[in-house]
């Protein structure tokens, strides 16, 4: 064995296969966990992966889409890029939804796909697909490697691009012969690429102008998004808001960037967000948008959005500035760097009269929506009731994963996040089926934290096979199905805008408890309110995975709602009263 190792080195340089070079390069970038699914074209990599046991952990999901979502969640809770393997053809194309999801939510990920041998490219060989062409619109960068000696450089470039500037997914497609052929291995991390300048020097003049605008505002409002969390600027946001006395509203992906119990917390923005931040956006005289992109679910009707306000936009991606909303002052820099520079320049201030307006809105929303949702006097169990009870039992300290739809909006509205990076959800893409595999990735990345996933019965069945991954690795995630036997959000729209014509939204569901038991996961069905709290306590006390199938109100709606085409100030609290 010693002689073999010596033969691998010539003048101190290792001569190894492309597959081994790939894995050594990943180690050099600090990778310890990979999510993936093997196949013919990537077999050389998986064969060599056995030699890296103890250094690199591989999680075999039950579908490539599941691997992509798990790797994204892993990245979101750890701050490290998520790594995902797949083979050629259907293996790589099954990743596309997950790649697009990470692209729209700006999550750093490195996807490694295999390709047929280079001599067969273009011949329609078995399981050949042009994954570069397919993935180009939803990757920050992609490339194909046909020679073993090019693997280390491609990996280094991939990590640099994925993690710098506005982060996002990259894809490296490696032919099978490149995985097998030998190279003299040498690895250097990438720190510079010509024509790619991810770090922009601070625009101090613009920051000084922003401070003047902030110091003269009477009704300033901070809108903070995912960019705050990406730049790890939660402390700076809190310090800045407290010094300037400015209320802070959060986008969906910005939730957990500012503590929910803070006196300056204005609430959750967006179509199903809180009443105050939506309504009062059109009352503010200054909006400071930090690391958010003025998504349509936040702005509502752009023609009626914040016309009375001056707008400062702090954003790392210049393409997002003036794309949807024209702003008065642009600061094209990293959110954390800007906030650090801004804090000394803003005056110590208090906007108590302005903040009181948010509290008045909170009271209105409590009386007309929240009270009956979280403390109903009669009727079936409600979504918000379940989420609120989980929030109280965990004291807001768990990592919450959601699928997409009513379960997602209820979790965003009623869980009180106290720690940064404690919400994992699909924002821009709105991917049903995201939740269960994402819970696998979140718990893998943060085994020290309680990870609870809220699912709708529809989204759960889209990736239900990932119960097999939970069984395989005994991943102690806590699964709560908010089961109303409908595609709930689609049904809500049919209720509100299509005269209750429920077309293809009612579900005939299997016995989820029996299915969970088939995967050796303890489970319980909850049908009565009197059983709910004890069931949730039992779920949280369980050491391993656990599933609760909670039968909720069949035709419950998530309110308030900014209806399509409406202004953010035209918030519907109860559409039946209109």
């Amino acid at each position: 064995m010693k002689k073999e190792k010596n033969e691998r080195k010539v003048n101190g340089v290792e001569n190894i296969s492309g597959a081994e070079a790939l894995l050594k390069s990943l180690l050099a970038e600090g990778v310890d966990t990979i999510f993936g699914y093997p196949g013919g074209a990537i077999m050389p990599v998986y064969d060599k992966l056995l030699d890296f046991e103890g250094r690199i952990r591989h999680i075999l999901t039950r579908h490539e889409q599941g691997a992509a979502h798990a790797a994204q969640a892993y990245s979101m809770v750890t701050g490290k890029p998520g790594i995902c393997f797949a083979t050629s053809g259907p293996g790589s194309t099954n990743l596309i939804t997950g790649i697009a999801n990470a692209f729209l939510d700006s999550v750093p990920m490195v996807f490694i796909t295999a390709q047929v041998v280079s001599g067969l490219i273009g011949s329609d060989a078995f399981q050949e697909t042009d994954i570069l062409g397919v993935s180009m619109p939803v990757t920050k960068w992609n490339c194909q490697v046909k020679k073993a000696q090019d693997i280390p450089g491609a990996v280094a470039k991939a990590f640099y691009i994925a993690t710098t500037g506005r982060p996002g997914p990259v894809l490296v497609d490696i032919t099978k012969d490149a995985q097998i052929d030998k190279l003299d291995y040498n690895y250097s991390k990438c720190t510079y690429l010509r024509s790619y300048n991810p770090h922009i020097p601070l625009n101090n003049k613009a920051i000084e102008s922003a401070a003047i605008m902030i110091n003269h505002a009477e009704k300033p409002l901070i809108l903070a998004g995912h960019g705050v969390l990406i730049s790890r600027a939660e402390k700076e946001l809190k310090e800045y808001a407290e010094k300037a006395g400015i209320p802070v509203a959060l986008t969906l992906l910005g939730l957990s960037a500012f503590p929910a119990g803070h006196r300056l917390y204005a609430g959750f923005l967006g179509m199903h967000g809180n009443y105050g931040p939506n309504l009062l956006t059109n009352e503010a005289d200054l909006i400071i948008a930090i690391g958010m992109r003025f998504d349509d679910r936040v702005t509502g009707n752009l023609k009626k959005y914040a016309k009375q306000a001056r707008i400062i936009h702090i954003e790392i991606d210049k393409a997002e500035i003036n794309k949807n909303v024209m702003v008065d002052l642009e600061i094209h820099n990293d959110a954390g760097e800007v906030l650090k520079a801004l804090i000394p320049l803003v005056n110590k201030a208090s906007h108590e009269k302005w903040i009181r307006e948010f509290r008045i809105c909170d009271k209105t929303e409590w009386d007309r929506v929240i009270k009956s949702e979280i403390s109903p006097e009669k009727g079936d169990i409600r979504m918000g009731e379940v989420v609120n009870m989980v929030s109280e039992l965990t004291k807001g300290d768990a990592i919450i994963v959601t699928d997409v739809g009513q379960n997602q909006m209820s979790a965003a509205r009623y869980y009180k996040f106290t720690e940064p990076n404690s919400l994992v959800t699909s924002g821009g893409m709105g991917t049903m089926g995201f939740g269960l595999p994402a819970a696998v990735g979140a718990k893998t990345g943060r085994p020290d934290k309680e990870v609870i996933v809220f699912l709708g019965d529809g989204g759960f069945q889209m990736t239900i096979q990932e119960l097999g991954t939970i069984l395989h690795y005994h991943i102690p995630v806590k699964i709560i199905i908010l089961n109303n036997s409908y595609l709930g959000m689609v049904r809500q729209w049919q209720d509100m805008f299509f005269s209750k014509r429920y077309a293809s939204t009612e579900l005939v569901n299997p016995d989820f408890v029996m299915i969970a038991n088939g995967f050796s996961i303890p489970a319980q069905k909850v049908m009565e309110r009197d059983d709910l709290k004890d069931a949730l306590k039992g779920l949280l006390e369980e050491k391993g995975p656990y599933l609760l199938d909670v039968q909720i109100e069949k035709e419950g709606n998530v309110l308030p709602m900014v209806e399509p085409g409406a202004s953010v100030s035209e918030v519907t609290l109860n559409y039946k009263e209109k």
Side-chain angles (χ1 to χ4, degrees):
M1 186 70 180
K2 190 174 181 180
K3 183 179 179 183
E4 181 185 335
K5 281 190 176 180
N6 291 336
E7 287 174 350
R8 284 158 50 99
K9 285 192 175 184
V10 179
N11 296 325
V13 177
E14 284 188 295
N15 187 257
I16 59 178
S17 70
E20 185 173 357
L22 168 65
L23 297 170
K24 288 176 74 71
S25 299
L26 294 177
L27 274 179
E29 292 289 349
V31 172
D32 57 17
T33 303
I34 296 166
F35 300 86
Y37 204 98
I42 203 169
M43 265 199 264
V45 171
Y46 272 85
D47 177 69
K48 189 55 65 175
L49 193 57
L50 289 174
D51 298 335
F52 284 75
E53 286 185 1
R55 290 180 288 171
I56 296 178
R57 172 178 49 173
H58 180 272
I59 304 295
L60 173 65
T61 58
R62 295 308 184 259
H63 192 282
E64 291 89 355
Q65 181 183 346
H69 294 328
Q72 175 175 338
Y74 177 90
S75 177
M76 291 176 78
V77 300
T78 64
K80 299 191 291 185
I83 314 299
C84 191
F85 282 0
T87 195
S88 64
S92 59
T93 58
N94 281 343
L95 294 176
I96 292 299
T97 297
I99 296 172
N101 200 89
F103 183 74
L104 284 174
D105 289 349
S106 303
V107 179
M109 297 185 67
V110 177
F111 289 89
I112 306 293
T113 58
Q115 189 54 269
V116 299
V117 296
S118 53
L120 290 178
I121 291 175
S123 70
D124 292 332
F126 177 67
Q127 292 194 332
E128 180 196 357
T129 301
D130 178 13
I131 193 60
L132 294 193
V134 173
S135 66
M136 188 174 293
V138 290
T139 49
K140 192 176 176 186
W141 174 79
N142 66 17
C143 75
Q144 187 172 77
V145 179
K146 298 180 181 179
K147 295 179 180 179
Q149 60 262 36
D150 294 335
I151 289 175
V155 171
K157 188 175 180 181
F159 273 84
Y160 180 60
I161 293 172
T163 58
T164 54
R166 179 180 180 174
V170 299
L171 183 144
V172 179
D173 190 44
I174 307 175
T175 62
K176 190 170 185 179
D177 49 321
Q179 299 168 45
I180 296 169
D181 291 344
K182 297 293 183 72
L183 72 152
D184 291 338
Y185 179 73
N186 180 55
Y187 192 79
S188 298
K189 288 192 176 186
C190 181
T191 58
Y192 170 77
L193 288 172
R194 185 178 177 182
S195 78
Y196 174 63
N197 301 301
H199 187 265
I200 302 97
L202 271 178
N203 188 339
N204 289 307
K205 186 174 180 180
I207 293 171
E208 290 169 6
S209 297
I212 293 169
M213 293 169 70
I214 292 163
N215 290 336
H216 285 84
E218 295 182 3
K219 292 185 174 183
L221 175 60
I222 295 169
L223 308 183
H226 195 201
V228 174
L229 292 166
I230 291 170
S231 65
R232 297 296 190 262
E234 308 86 17
K235 289 181 181 178
E236 288 79 9
L237 174 63
K238 185 169 177 282
E239 184 179 349
Y240 158 60
E242 288 177 341
K243 184 178 181 184
I246 303 175
V248 179
L250 301 176
T251 67
L252 175 63
L253 286 175
L255 288 173
S256 79
F258 197 81
H262 197 283
R263 68 177 188 86
L264 292 174
Y265 182 53
F268 164 43
L269 283 166
M271 180 173 277
H272 292 284
N274 292 117
Y275 185 51
N278 282 324
L279 182 74
L280 296 177
T281 289
N282 281 4
E283 297 292 332
D285 62 0
L286 178 68
I287 289 174
I288 307 105
I290 309 173
M292 54 88 75
R293 57 190 179 90
F294 290 108
D295 175 79
D296 62 290
R297 291 296 170 103
V298 165
T299 64
N301 188 332
L302 283 169
K303 293 179 180 178
K304 301 178 181 179
Y305 183 76
K307 295 304 178 185
Q308 79 298 333
R310 301 182 75 188
I311 299 175
I312 300 168
H313 196 180
I314 301 166
E315 170 58 47
I316 199 167
D317 186 354
K318 192 170 179 62
E320 295 293 351
I321 300 174
N322 294 317
K323 184 177 82 173
N324 297 327
V325 173
M326 298 302 294
V327 304
D328 298 277
L329 178 64
E330 61 180 77
I331 305 178
H332 175 212
N333 288 116
D334 173 78
E337 292 182 12
V338 173
L339 287 171
K340 285 177 185 175
L342 192 58
I343 289 167
L345 303 178
V346 296
N347 295 336
K348 181 74 175 173
S350 175
H351 298 279
E352 293 304 323
K353 187 177 178 182
W354 171 230
I355 292 167
R356 198 174 305 122
E357 292 189 40
F358 287 89
R359 301 293 85 89
I360 292 168
C361 289
D362 292 345
K363 178 66 166 59
T364 300
E365 186 176 356
W366 169 266
D367 290 339
R368 296 183 61 185
V369 179
I370 297 174
K371 184 178 180 180
S372 61
E373 179 69 18
I374 68 173
S375 303
E377 295 178 0
K378 57 182 179 179
D380 295 325
I381 299 171
R382 299 190 179 180
M383 289 174 280
E385 177 181 6
V386 180
V387 175
N388 182 67
M389 197 172 290
V390 171
S391 183
E392 290 179 347
L393 290 171
T394 60
K395 297 180 172 57
D397 191 42
I399 290 176
I400 297 300
V401 183
T402 82
D403 208 82
V404 167
Q406 290 183 319
N407 65 90
Q408 177 187 37
M409 293 297 102
S410 293
R413 284 183 52 78
Y414 295 111
Y415 195 87
K416 306 304 180 188
F417 297 95
T418 60
E419 295 295 326
N421 299 297
S422 55
L423 173 64
V424 177
T425 194
S426 170
M429 191 74 168
T431 303
M432 285 183 68
F434 176 82
L436 188 62
V440 167
K443 188 64 180 179
T444 302
R446 290 295 306 274
D448 58 310
K449 297 288 287 186
E450 189 76 83
V451 173
I452 301 165
V453 56
F454 289 103
L455 307 168
D457 42 311
F460 175 48
Q461 291 179 83
M462 285 192 167
T463 50
I464 196 170
Q465 72 279 350
E466 298 309 328
L467 292 175
T469 309
I470 293 170
L471 165 66
H472 188 157
Y473 299 98
H474 199 66
I475 299 171
V477 297
K478 306 302 163 55
I479 303 162
I480 301 174
I481 305 171
L482 299 175
N483 186 349
N484 55 14
S485 297
Y486 273 109
L487 300 176
M489 188 59 82
V490 183
R491 185 213 55 76
Q492 177 169 335
W493 281 53
Q494 290 172 336
D495 181 4
M496 296 177 71
F497 313 122
F498 291 88
S499 304
K500 287 198 171 188
R501 290 165 60 85
Y502 294 163
S504 301
T505 46
E506 188 166 11
L507 298 173
V508 176
N509 289 324
D511 186 331
F512 293 133
V513 170
M514 186 179 292
I515 289 172
N517 290 161
F519 285 94
S520 299
I521 297 171
Q524 179 184 351
K525 180 181 287 189
V526 181
M527 302 183 72
E528 302 295 335
R529 178 168 288 110
D530 290 344
D531 300 327
L532 179 61
K533 191 167 187 176
D534 285 343
L536 290 172
K537 285 181 177 179
L539 171 134
L540 294 171
E541 290 167 0
E542 182 69 32
K543 299 299 182 185
Y546 198 90
L547 182 147
L548 278 187
D549 176 9
V550 183
Q551 304 291 301
I552 60 168
E553 182 182 21
K554 283 181 67 68
E555 296 187 37
N557 291 333
V558 182
L559 294 168
M561 182 176 184
V562 178
E563 298 181 17
S567 161
V568 289
S569 58
E570 298 167 340
V571 187
T572 299
L573 286 167
N574 189 334
Y575 77 99
K576 292 178 182 178
E577 294 176 3
K578 294 195 301 181

